[in-house]
């Protein structure tokens, strides 16, 4: 069926109310009304005013499932600001354990007291609502105190792992975000690239004071709105200059205060903090846990020890693959994102706990799709739109794809962040006005390739960046990896483009029969998808953010591929 053209330049109404009877949609969708840009999706239904707009007519002519699949449920948020939820926990259960690290623990009352003192220090340094403050340190009590103190004064925190990020990049982050105050520890402060007027505060010394010190001034506690920034998260910079994504309080509250993103976190539960502070999913661990009154268990050097004691674990597939499910007897819920999840990994964990698989770049606030996977499910999907969010699978002409057709995922709703700090050009390129919600709302191009299943689940087919050309043919690298993972005993596979003619693949563990793995691809995909070389190794190397280090793998593969081609009398 020919898809109708949508005209983004058409002056959209400030609300879009869909009449199911008029449009042939499923009942219940009439509740979806796009609010103004500065409000969440909470507006009351409005009657459809005839005549319908060109956009409504366009939607009516498409498959109605574009709406019934793509619109997540509406849920009201109990809090508009992250720190308000944490402060409520400190008031309601001050003696409950909030944070645990290396044999020590703090109650919610203690955490709040330390954060109040540090917040007053920040105010004394001139930090005000809307400022950005650096959190340049590593895991520990100072990390948690710093985050909460910054939010209390209405500022946004900018996290960087001071142990792995080089000084020139830290300076770049400071200049980009306009940071003049940095919270760190005595061991890192001497190496920070501070300018003459910059201030660094040693939070470790504060945390070593028992009980928390009193401060002579009273915290002003400025008004903070859901539209204010909660944090600025910088991308890894693997493709060039890192960009700071501005994430609001409403963005964060929308994932941590709605199901399934809350992962059932509650008082009495233990939530693992295993991810790097500079990774967006670490905010899911830290802020999600503390907002719900659970205990944040910060890992030491051996994260398996932490995983063995917690009830909730958030991770990437690369990190989770290092754990034995049987060694984690207390796990009740696991959530994965950040990379494609191998089905064997999902099956192993889903047999023991509620296993959630999701997807979403930093720009749509950690994840914008999520769903529980159960053993034996036909498809390991990335789920459905999370509450108050929308997902559109569009073709190159920005028109809705048919159900079952692969297209790019665009994300709309309350997950869409505020853009890139100091880079309006890139923001305008990747964030677009949302023609489906209207009302000034924005949508983001995730660059994930997806399709809707007949059951309304999103099936992931890698990223646009992972589509490469080999021998003149377009190949989806993740599709090759998925086939490799069907090999007996294979836990994980990664496929890379080595040159214009050859693919190379890595499989784990080292006991995988590489010839059989190669045959799996040969039997399932066209000849140009068959890796020239399949290399079996014990473990895949990871970046500091817990994802597969593809650059390192490619460097390791190149001499092996050169030798392989030389044996065949070929050159790259």
């Amino acid at each position: 069926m020919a898809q109708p053209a949508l005209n983004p330049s058409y002056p959209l109404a400030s609300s879009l109310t869909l009449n199911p009877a008029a449009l042939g949609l499923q009942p219940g969708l009439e509740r979806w009304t796009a609010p103004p840009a500065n409000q969440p999706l909470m507006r009351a239904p409005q009657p459809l005013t005839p005549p319908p707009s060109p956009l409504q007519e366009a939607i009516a002519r498409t498959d109605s499932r574009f709406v019934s699949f793509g619109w997540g449920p509406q849920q009201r948020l109990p809090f508009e600001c992250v720190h308000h939820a944490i402060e409520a926990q400190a008031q309601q259960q001050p003696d409950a354990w909030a944070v645990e690290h290396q044999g020590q623990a703090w109650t919610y009352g203690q955490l709040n007291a330390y954060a109040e003192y540090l917040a007053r220090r920040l105010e004394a340094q001139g930090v005000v609502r809307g400022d950005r403050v650096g959190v340049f340190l590593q895991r520990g009590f100072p990390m948690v105190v710093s985050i909460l103190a910054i939010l209390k004064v209405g500022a946004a925190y900018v996290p960087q792992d001071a142990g792995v990020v080089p000084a020139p990049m830290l300076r770049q982050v400071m200049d980009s975000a306009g940071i003049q105050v940095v919270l760190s520890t005595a061991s890192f402060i001497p190496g920070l690239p501070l300018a003459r007027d910059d201030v660094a505060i040693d939070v470790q010394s504060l945390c070593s004071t028992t009980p928390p010190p009193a401060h002579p001034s009273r915290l002003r506690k400025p008004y903070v709105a859901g539209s204010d920034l909660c944090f600025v998260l910088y991308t890894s910079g693997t493709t060039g200059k890192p960009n700071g994504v501005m994430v609001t309080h409403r963005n964060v509250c929308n994932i941590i205060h709605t199901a399934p993103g809350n992962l059932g976190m509650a008082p009495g539960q233990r939530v693992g903090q295993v991810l790097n502070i500079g990774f967006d999913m670490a905010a899911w661990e830290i802020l999600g846990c503390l907002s719900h009154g659970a205990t944040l268990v910060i890992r030491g050097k051996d994260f398996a020890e932490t995983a063995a004691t917690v009830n909730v674990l958030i991770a990437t597939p690369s990190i989770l693959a290092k754990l034995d499910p049987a060694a984690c007897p207390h796990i009740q819920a696991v959530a994965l994102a950040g990379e494609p999840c191998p089905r064997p990994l999902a099956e192993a964990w889903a047999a023991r706990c509620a296993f959630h698989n999701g997807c979403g770049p930093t720009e749509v606030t950690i994840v914008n799709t999520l769903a529980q996977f159960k053993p034996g499910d036909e498809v390991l999907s990335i789920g459905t739109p999370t509450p108050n969010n929308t997902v559109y699978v569009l073709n190159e002409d920005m028109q809705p794809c048919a159900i079952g057709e692969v297209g790019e995922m665009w994300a709309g709703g309350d997950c869409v962040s505020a853009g890139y700090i100091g880079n309006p050009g890139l923001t305008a390129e990747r964030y677009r006005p949302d023609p489906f919600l209207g009302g000034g709302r924005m949508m983001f191009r995730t660059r994930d390739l997806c399709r809707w299943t007949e059951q309304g689940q999103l099936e992931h087919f890698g990223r646009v960046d992972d589509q490469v050309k080999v021998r003149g043919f377009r190949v989806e690298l993740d599709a090759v990896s998925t086939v490799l993972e069907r090999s007996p005993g294979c836990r994980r596979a990664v496929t890379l483009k080595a040159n214009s003619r050859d693919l190379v693949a890595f499989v784990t563990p080292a006991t995988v029969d590489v010839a059989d793995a190669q045959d799996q691809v040969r039997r399932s995909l066209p000849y140009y998808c068959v890796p020239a070389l399949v290399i079996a190794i014990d473990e895949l190397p990871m970046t500091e953010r817990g994802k597969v280090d593809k650059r390192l793998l490619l460097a390791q593969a190149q001499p092996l591929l050169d030798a392989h081609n030389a044996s065949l009398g070929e050159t790259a």
Side-chain angles (χ1 to χ4, degrees):
M1 178 175 89
Q3 300 290 344
L6 301 181
N7 183 4
S9 64
Y10 185 84
L12 299 171
S14 61
S15 66
L16 170 59
T17 303
L18 304 182
N19 184 326
L23 302 183
L25 306 179
Q26 295 180 2
L29 292 172
E30 67 276 8
R31 63 184 179 170
W32 269 96
T33 303
N38 62 348
Q39 295 180 11
L41 303 176
M42 299 298 175
R43 203 168 164 189
Q46 297 180 11
L48 184 66
T49 303
S53 72
L55 178 59
Q56 290 168 328
E57 290 179 343
I59 292 177
R61 292 195 299 270
T62 66
D63 191 323
S64 64
R65 292 175 293 180
F66 176 75
V67 174
S68 62
F69 288 176
W71 266 247
Q74 284 191 95
Q75 290 185 20
R76 290 190 177 275
L77 304 180
F79 294 94
E80 276 282 293
C81 295
V82 173
H83 60 294
H84 293 166
I86 301 173
E87 290 170 339
Q89 295 296 339
Q91 185 176 15
Q92 294 166 12
Q93 50 164 6
D95 296 326
W97 296 118
V99 186
E100 179 183 308
H101 182 53
Q102 294 183 335
Q104 293 184 299
W106 282 1
T107 65
Y108 272 88
Q110 289 173 307
L111 171 62
N112 194 59
Y114 280 111
E116 289 268 335
Y117 178 85
L118 182 55
R120 293 186 182 97
R121 290 276 303 274
L122 291 172
E123 284 188 336
Q125 291 294 336
V127 177
V128 297
R129 176 187 177 189
D131 284 352
R132 276 81 62 185
V133 178
V135 180
F136 296 173
L137 34 67
Q138 291 186 310
R139 299 181 192 91
F141 293 106
M143 172 187 71
V144 183
V145 172
S146 297
I147 290 172
L148 184 53
I150 292 168
L151 299 182
K152 281 177 176 287
V153 298
Y157 73 93
V158 185
Q160 291 288 305
D161 186 333
V164 298
V165 179
M169 182 170 287
L170 291 178
R171 186 67 247 175
Q172 190 177 52
V173 167
M174 293 180 69
D175 292 339
S176 168
I179 294 172
Q180 291 186 301
V181 177
V182 175
L183 302 184
S184 189
T185 58
S187 59
F188 291 124
I189 287 176
L192 296 179
L194 302 176
R196 177 181 298 178
D197 296 330
D198 294 337
V199 175
I201 298 175
D202 177 12
V203 187
Q204 182 66 60
S205 62
L206 164 65
C207 294
S208 301
T209 305
T210 305
H215 197 281
S217 64
R218 183 177 180 181
L219 185 63
R220 289 192 291 269
K221 291 191 176 181
Y223 169 77
V224 182
S227 57
D228 284 350
L229 296 188
C230 178
F231 60 82
V232 178
L233 201 291
Y234 279 79
T235 58
S236 61
T238 55
T239 57
K241 180 181 178 181
N243 296 296
V245 181
M246 299 183 289
V247 181
T248 69
H249 280 270
R250 183 179 296 122
N251 291 151
V252 179
C253 286
N254 194 60
I255 182 65
I256 65 176
H257 284 297
T258 60
N262 57 21
L263 299 175
M265 289 183 275
Q269 288 194 316
R270 296 164 59 82
V271 179
Q273 202 288 293
V274 302
L275 299 171
N276 186 288
I277 185 178
F279 188 27
D280 60 349
M281 288 171 64
W284 195 1
E285 298 173 310
I286 299 166
L287 303 179
C289 172
L290 298 177
S291 291
H292 290 285
T295 303
L296 186 70
V297 184
I298 302 175
R299 60 169 283 191
K301 290 185 177 180
D302 185 358
F303 77 91
E305 291 183 2
T306 299
T309 72
V310 300
N311 308 117
V312 179
L313 192 61
I314 297 168
T316 63
S318 294
I319 287 178
L320 193 68
K322 294 179 177 293
L323 297 175
D324 178 2
C328 303
H330 306 290
I331 288 286
Q332 299 172 8
V334 167
L336 287 196
E339 299 174 301
C341 178
R343 188 177 182 102
L345 184 66
E347 291 278 359
W349 284 88
R352 306 186 71 92
C353 65
F355 180 89
H356 297 82
N357 192 41
C359 183
T362 302
E363 291 85 348
V364 294
T365 317
I366 308 170
V367 292
N368 68 308
T369 68
L370 192 66
Q372 184 176 348
F373 171 81
K374 297 180 180 179
D377 280 356
E378 183 178 348
V379 175
L380 173 56
S381 77
I382 56 171
T384 58
T386 47
N388 306 321
N389 293 325
T390 55
V391 166
Y392 320 119
V393 180
L394 307 179
N395 62 21
E396 293 179 354
D397 297 322
M398 300 296 291
Q399 298 178 41
C401 292
I403 303 303
E405 179 184 354
V406 175
E408 278 195 63
M409 177 169 70
W410 287 75
D414 284 359
C415 68
V416 181
S417 60
Y420 300 106
I421 193 165
N423 198 336
L426 187 62
T427 298
E429 177 185 332
R430 297 184 182 177
Y431 295 76
R432 304 281 181 85
D434 189 331
F436 307 105
L437 287 180
R441 302 302 293 263
M442 302 296 288
M443 63 181 185
F444 179 77
R445 182 187 184 187
T446 71
R447 302 186 70 82
D448 289 289
L449 296 169
C450 302
R451 73 178 178 191
W452 291 110
T453 69
E454 290 294 329
Q455 293 73 38
Q457 296 283 315
L458 278 166
E459 196 171 2
H460 194 261
F461 289 88
R463 292 178 53 78
V464 173
D465 320 68
D466 290 332
Q467 277 196 340
V468 299
K469 278 204 170 182
V470 176
R471 307 186 187 206
F473 296 96
R474 181 174 293 180
V475 177
E476 293 176 4
L477 297 177
D478 283 345
V480 179
S481 299
T482 298
V483 174
L484 287 167
E485 287 165 356
R486 297 175 190 163
S487 305
C490 181
R491 292 198 303 261
R492 188 84 187 272
V494 174
T495 306
L496 305 168
K497 177 184 176 180
N499 52 54
S500 62
R501 191 185 60 208
D502 295 320
L503 300 177
V504 294
F506 287 82
V507 293
T508 63
T511 54
V512 174
D513 185 331
V514 295
D516 179 72
Q518 218 169 15
D519 285 341
Q520 288 278 357
V521 182
R522 193 173 286 112
R523 291 192 296 266
S524 305
L525 297 174
Y527 72 93
Y528 51 83
C529 295
V530 179
L533 200 62
V534 177
I535 305 164
I537 57 177
D538 285 325
E539 290 186 353
L540 295 170
M542 295 190 299
T543 67
E544 71 273 7
R545 298 194 178 199
K547 297 185 180 183
V548 173
D549 193 334
K550 295 181 179 180
R551 286 186 174 185
L552 180 58
L553 286 177
L554 197 56
Q556 293 175 349
Q558 197 59 57
L560 298 175
L561 181 63
D562 291 343
H564 171 77
N565 287 336
S567 69
L568 300 176
E570 300 177 354
T571 57

